[in-house]
Amino acid sequence: MEDNSVANVAILREEEESIKIIDAVNDDDGWQTVSYQKRHRKQPVKALESFSDPQRAGSSSSGDVFRSIEQHSVERRHRLEAQREAMVAIGDDSSSKLNGDAGEEGSDFEGAAGLENDGAEAKKAKPKKPKKPKVTVGEAAAKIDASDLAAFLADITVSYESKQDILLMRFADYFGRAFASVSASQFPWMKTLKESSVAKMVDIPLSHISEAVYKISTDWLNQRSFEALGSHVSWSLDSILADMAIHQGAIKGTKKVAQQAPAKSQAAIFVVLAMTLRRKPDVLINLLPIIRENPKYQGQDKLPVTVWVISQASQGDLVVGLFMWIHYLLPMLSSKSNCNPQSRDLILQLVERILSAPKARPILLNGAVRKGERLVPPSALEFLMRATFPAPSARVKATERFEAIYPTLKEIALTGSPGSKAMKQITQQTLQFAVKAAGEGVPDLSREASNVFIWCLTQNPDCFKQWDNIYLDNLEASVVILRKLADEWKEHSVKNPTMEPLKALTSFRQKVIGNTSP
């Protein structure tokens, strides 16, 4: 009986070994090296001796022991066959390698994967650093206390009374601290100015400043020296352009600009600069030679900043605003390389806003001459005339806008005290370009130039002598002007009853006709 038991156990062991080998081959598509363990005859006997005693096995009879072993072997074989059939049905070799093992290795792999997932989840579960709250320009401005500002200004005025530059820097520092929490993303000034109309950009960012804070600030700025304010305006403008250069360099180099507030908040610089220009706009005229000659202030990319600066000054004084427009922006319109349709539109928006301001006409006429300098000099009037009265084929969309602003600007250019030395100079300069424009053969331009030429004759009798000297070089223009004078003779004779100009004109008419007759 014992011999049979040993034999049966050995058969079962061999069967299990063969099943494991087949299973391993199936798992790796038949390409795995199979190695058989060396069997020692003495080892199975020793192993089987533990089952030879029914008492040790805890079984009442040897037949029960063998029956349970056989049943276990059959059940295991069925499980393995079922697993192989399932894997064949799925047809996924890679999945079978990971999940096909019914042994302990599969469970170990799943356990390892579970540990890795747990580790990844633990990493993800780490608390993130809290983000700083976003502060808008309006929120920062609302926190500025007018009484605190007044006390601060009183204190620094006593401490640095003789050091105007330091006073203005401390003033700027106060607003720098107030807007320090405003990041660049909350005040994207480049994008805002580029996309805004003049009517909207003029209020950036002062629309957020309370009237109390604005009044205290501007009253204090009014007491500062002109030179110190000029230096501070120049410094502020340079800071803005430097920030622009940083952003443009980052865009060209495809580097992401950090959305953080700079050392000097740009919102604060714009606020202080706007208040200074509105309270002391004349400072900007003193800086005009520097702005006009230094290349760092020039270029279409800087035009929105320039327009914003001039618009702030025009809020304080329309005359200063128009002076800057005529002497700095108008020449840009004559340059085809430096002025595209967008730039032309922005420049015209500014002058349209200035001329449409309440009581703009009397204010500008009263300031037509500023410190001996014409608000609209003859050279500017010539460009405006040609832009307003082009040849029919040269008309553009902006021509109608020039037609709207031309009458007021012409009136400002020609206003002055009749008979004065300055006015005589203006008439002689104006006559020079008017006679050329009258002879160019453009009907509308000839008509307008003739009107201006005749105005020069009525304002300065010396212009008749000037005409006498140049008429041979401008015969066609002189004929056009004489015909117009003949058509309007009665009107001009009433306005100029003195006989001397009329006699001179009659004599000159005979001279011109004599030179033009065949």
Side-chain angles (χ1 to χ4, degrees):
M1 188 67 181
E2 290 181 358
D3 293 337
N4 291 336
S5 300
V6 170
N8 288 334
V9 171
I11 292 170
L12 289 175
R13 289 287 180 87
E14 290 178 0
E15 185 177 0
E16 288 182 1
E17 291 286 340
S18 63
I19 291 171
K20 287 182 180 181
I21 292 169
I22 293 170
D23 190 21
V25 170
N26 289 333
D27 284 348
D28 287 310
D29 297 330
W31 291 100
Q32 183 173 342
T33 303
V34 180
S35 61
Y36 294 92
Q37 295 179 355
K38 293 182 180 180
R39 281 187 270 175
H40 300 281
R41 294 180 178 179
K42 293 182 180 180
Q43 290 177 354
V45 172
K46 290 181 180 180
L48 291 174
E49 284 178 355
S50 61
F51 293 98
S52 62
D53 190 0
Q55 300 295 329
R56 286 187 183 180
S59 173
S60 59
S61 67
S62 60
D64 292 338
V65 172
F66 295 130
R67 245 193 325 271
S68 63
I69 292 174
E70 290 176 0
Q71 186 177 356
H72 175 73
S73 175
V74 171
E75 290 176 355
R76 178 173 177 77
R77 190 182 300 111
H78 288 168
R79 285 198 305 272
L80 293 173
E81 289 177 357
Q83 288 180 357
R84 282 195 295 272
E85 290 175 1
M87 286 186 288
V88 170
I90 294 172
D92 190 350
D93 293 335
S94 60
S95 298
S96 66
K97 289 179 182 181
L98 293 174
N99 302 321
D101 265 343
E104 295 178 355
E105 289 180 5
S107 61
D108 291 342
F109 178 83
E110 291 175 358
L115 288 174
E116 288 181 5
N117 291 335
D118 291 340
E121 290 177 2
K123 290 181 179 179
K124 292 181 180 179
K126 288 183 179 180
K128 295 181 179 179
K129 295 180 179 179
K131 294 183 178 179
K132 294 182 179 179
K134 295 181 179 179
V135 180
T136 65
V137 176
E139 291 170 347
K143 294 180 181 179
I144 300 175
D145 183 74
S147 59
D148 181 71
L149 173 61
F152 173 81
L153 294 178
D155 182 53
I156 64 171
T157 303
V158 173
S159 302
Y160 306 100
E161 186 175 3
S162 60
K163 300 177 181 178
Q164 296 287 310
D165 292 340
I166 296 178
L167 273 176
L168 289 168
M169 291 306 297
R170 292 297 306 275
F171 175 70
D173 287 341
Y174 182 91
F175 284 92
R177 291 191 297 271
F179 291 98
S181 57
V182 179
S183 64
S185 62
Q186 293 299 310
F187 186 62
W189 65 268
M190 284 180 59
K191 181 176 182 292
T192 303
L193 293 185
K194 187 176 180 180
E195 297 177 357
S196 298
S197 63
V198 173
K200 290 183 178 180
M201 74 164 59
V202 73
D203 293 325
I204 298 171
L206 284 187
S207 58
H208 301 291
I209 302 298
S210 67
E211 291 184 8
V213 171
Y214 178 80
K215 187 177 185 307
I216 292 171
S217 299
T218 53
D219 288 347
W220 184 84
L221 287 168
N222 191 41
Q223 299 172 14
R224 308 284 70 82
S225 68
F226 201 78
E227 294 75 14
L229 289 171
S231 298
H232 191 74
V233 167
S234 179
W235 173 85
S236 300
L237 188 56
D238 289 348
S239 297
I240 291 172
L241 296 181
D243 188 61
M244 173 186 285
I246 292 172
H247 282 75
Q248 288 177 336
I251 293 171
K252 291 177 182 178
T254 65
K255 294 179 181 178
K256 187 176 179 181
V257 178
Q259 298 295 310
Q260 297 178 356
K264 293 284 185 183
S265 172
Q266 291 301 309
I269 293 176
F270 272 86
V271 167
V272 174
L273 180 58
M275 291 191 295
T276 305
L277 291 172
R278 292 189 181 202
R279 192 66 185 89
K280 289 286 189 179
D282 286 353
V283 169
L284 192 59
I285 293 181
N286 282 15
L287 295 176
L288 178 58
I290 299 174
I291 295 173
R292 190 160 44 192
E293 295 171 7
N294 196 323
K296 73 178 178 180
Y297 299 109
Q298 300 166 10
Q300 290 190 28
D301 57 334
K302 301 175 183 68
L303 182 61
V305 176
T306 304
V307 171
W308 179 86
V309 168
I310 297 175
S311 69
Q312 299 306 315
S314 67
Q315 289 293 106
D317 190 343
L318 291 175
V319 174
V320 172
L322 184 60
F323 187 94
M324 291 295 299
W325 187 88
I326 290 290
H327 290 81
Y328 187 71
L329 294 181
L330 183 62
M332 292 185 185
L333 295 177
S334 62
S335 175
K336 294 181 179 180
S337 60
N338 292 329
C339 191
N340 54 33
Q342 292 78 15
S343 299
R344 185 187 300 114
D345 173 64
L346 194 62
I347 292 171
L348 289 174
Q349 280 187 52
L350 179 58
V351 72
E352 288 166 350
R353 179 179 175 83
I354 293 172
L355 296 179
S356 63
K359 300 180 180 180
R361 180 178 171 275
I363 292 173
L364 295 172
L365 287 173
N366 190 49
V369 181
R370 181 188 175 278
K371 296 182 180 179
E373 194 169 3
R374 301 290 303 186
L375 187 56
V376 183
S379 58
L381 179 61
E382 179 183 7
F383 173 79
L384 290 166
M385 180 189 295
R386 293 183 180 278
T388 306
F389 303 100
S393 60
R395 289 182 65 89
V396 294
K397 290 183 178 180
T399 302
E400 294 182 0
R401 299 172 72 176
F402 278 108
E403 291 173 346
I405 65 175
Y406 177 76
T408 303
L409 295 177
K410 173 188 173 183
E411 187 178 8
I412 296 170
L414 301 181
T415 192
S417 302
S420 65
K421 184 178 179 180
M423 204 62 192
K424 287 181 179 180
Q425 211 171 18
I426 293 298
T427 54
Q428 290 172 352
Q429 293 174 3
T430 304
L431 185 138
Q432 286 284 353
F433 74 78
V435 70
K436 291 180 181 178
E440 291 183 2
V442 180
D444 291 340
L445 180 62
S446 296
R447 192 180 305 111
E448 176 60 22
S450 298
N451 288 333
V452 173
F453 189 95
I454 293 170
W455 174 87
C456 293
L457 297 177
T458 61
Q459 295 296 311
N460 182 10
D462 292 340
C463 287
F464 284 97
K465 297 178 182 179
Q466 186 180 357
W467 190 10
D468 191 23
N469 294 330
I470 64 174
Y471 83 92
L472 287 175
D473 296 328
N474 300 278
L475 284 176
E476 292 183 7
S478 297
V479 171
V480 171
I481 294 168
L482 284 172
R483 286 175 180 171
K484 188 171 183 62
L485 275 170
D487 295 338
E488 302 172 356
W489 185 262
K490 290 182 180 180
E491 180 182 348
H492 291 295
S493 62
V494 172
K495 291 182 179 179
N496 302 278
T498 58
M499 295 302 294
E500 185 176 351
L502 295 178
K503 288 178 180 179
L505 185 59
T506 303
S507 174
F508 184 75
R509 181 184 180 188
Q510 293 175 352
K511 189 185 298 186
V512 172
I513 293 173
N515 280 281
T516 56
S517 60

